[in-house]
Amino acid sequence: MSEPGADEGTPRAEQPRAPGRRGRRTALVVAALAAGVVAAATWLVFFSPVLGVNRVEVTGNTGIPDEVIRRAAGVAEGEPLAAVDLAAVRARVAALPPIEWAGVERGWPGTLRIRVRERTPIAVAVVGGRAALVDRFGVVVSLRDTAPSGLPRLVVPRIAPDEPAARAALSAIHALPDRLARRVAEVRARDATSVTLRLADGRTVTWGGAEHGDLKARVLQTLLRRPGNSYDVSHPDVATVR
């Protein structure tokens, strides 16, 4: 006896048929082809010299030759571009003493681009009887037999990036506008809070510590218009002239 309400004239839904051998074979072939394409693409990008480095482009440098930077980068011609360790290249280039900052990127299909910013000397110190050109971080950019003109003499206990007195003295020079910085003959500091400047005309400036450098520079520019021999901007809100 049929169930109540059943429509004996309505055909039952057909059950889906299990895929036959031909369907399974087709699926296997498609999977194999896909795997082959992936493998070929992987080989082409990561192992083949087809997309290898054929050019190392260097920009931003003026004092250090391109070839020095390329040698420091250490990337062989033909090395797969995708496999180049950009962070490692960046670190090797940035380790060059004249380089302050380095950036590395890929330029498809075969160019490795290296951008650099060179260190700029802002003071000169005597180290081992030679003139050491020092950047704002306390790094010795180069050593020369004679000091170049236009840079203030740096007098601190030790020249090093981790020397507080050197960092404070250099930050004072860095805070000054170029026109005023060129008028400084000497910058001196016993420690991080005792920076003093001597201008080329003999006037002296008590700078103090590294804090509020921009404000101190603005105040000093105004004070130098007044006659005097000694200027104190260590506390810029109560600066004095003597």
Side-chain angles (χ1 to χ4, degrees), residues 144-236:
R144 300 187 183 181
D145 293 330
T146 57
S149 60
L151 293 178
R153 184 185 180 204
L154 175 65
V155 182
V156 292
R158 185 171 62 95
I159 306 296
D162 61 349
E163 168 58 49
R167 290 297 295 264
L170 292 165
S171 73
I173 296 298
H174 181 66
L176 298 175
D178 290 343
R179 181 182 297 182
L180 182 52
R182 287 193 292 268
R183 295 167 59 186
V184 178
E186 181 181 275
V187 55
R188 181 183 294 266
R190 296 186 310 275
D191 53 47
T193 63
S194 62
V195 178
T196 59
L197 312 175
R198 180 173 59 81
L199 304 185
D201 59 11
R203 291 185 288 179
T204 61
V205 178
T206 300
W207 187 271
E211 67 282 351
H212 310 302
D214 292 341
L215 177 59
K216 290 177 180 179
R218 291 196 299 271
V219 171
L220 180 59
Q221 289 184 88
T222 300
L223 289 184
L224 288 175
R225 298 171 188 160
R226 303 179 188 177
N229 295 316
S230 177
Y231 301 79
D232 189 337
V233 294
S234 57
H235 297 89

Side-chain angles (χ1 to χ4, degrees), residues 10-241:
T10 303
R12 296 185 179 181
E14 294 185 1
Q15 296 296 320
R17 295 182 180 179
R21 277 186 196 171
R22 183 175 297 177
R24 285 196 295 272
R25 256 187 227 144
T26 302
L28 289 173
V29 170
V30 170
L33 288 174
V37 169
V38 171
T42 300
W43 176 82
L44 179 67
V45 173
F46 290 97
F47 301 101
S48 167
V50 173
L51 293 179
V53 176
N54 55 46
R55 182 186 178 202
V56 178
E57 177 184 280
V58 180
T59 58
N61 55 315
T62 56
I64 182 170
D66 291 1
E67 193 52 40
V68 172
I69 295 175
R70 291 191 182 104
R71 283 200 301 268
V75 178
E77 184 176 352
E79 181 177 340
L81 184 58
V84 174
D85 187 336
L86 300 185
V89 174
R90 186 183 303 112
R92 290 194 291 267
V93 172
L96 292 170
I99 301 300
E100 179 180 314
W101 174 89
V104 183
E105 62 184 13
R106 298 180 179 89
W108 298 101
T111 300
L112 185 69
R113 297 194 178 102
I114 301 176
R115 294 175 292 114
V116 300
R117 180 168 60 240
E118 295 179 343
R119 295 186 183 278
T120 302
I122 64 171
V124 60
V126 177
V127 176
R130 302 187 69 190
L133 276 62
V134 186
D135 79 344
R136 65 192 179 101
F137 299 107
V139 175
V140 175
V141 178
S142 64
L143 288 170
R144 300 187 183 181
D145 293 330
T146 57
S149 60
L151 293 178
R153 184 185 180 204
L154 175 65
V155 182
V156 292
R158 185 171 62 95
I159 306 296
D162 61 349
E163 168 58 49
R167 290 297 295 264
L170 292 165
S171 73
I173 296 298
H174 181 66
L176 298 175
D178 290 343
R179 181 182 297 182
L180 182 52
R182 287 193 292 268
R183 295 167 59 186
V184 178
E186 181 181 275
V187 55
R188 181 183 294 266
R190 296 186 310 275
D191 53 47
T193 63
S194 62
V195 178
T196 59
L197 312 175
R198 180 173 59 81
L199 304 185
D201 59 11
R203 291 185 288 179
T204 61
V205 178
T206 300
W207 187 271
E211 67 282 351
H212 310 302
D214 292 341
L215 177 59
K216 290 177 180 179
R218 291 196 299 271
V219 171
L220 180 59
Q221 289 184 88
T222 300
L223 289 184
L224 288 175
R225 298 171 188 160
R226 303 179 188 177
N229 295 316
S230 177
Y231 301 79
D232 189 337
V233 294
S234 57
H235 297 89
D237 52 340
V238 288
T240 61
V241 180

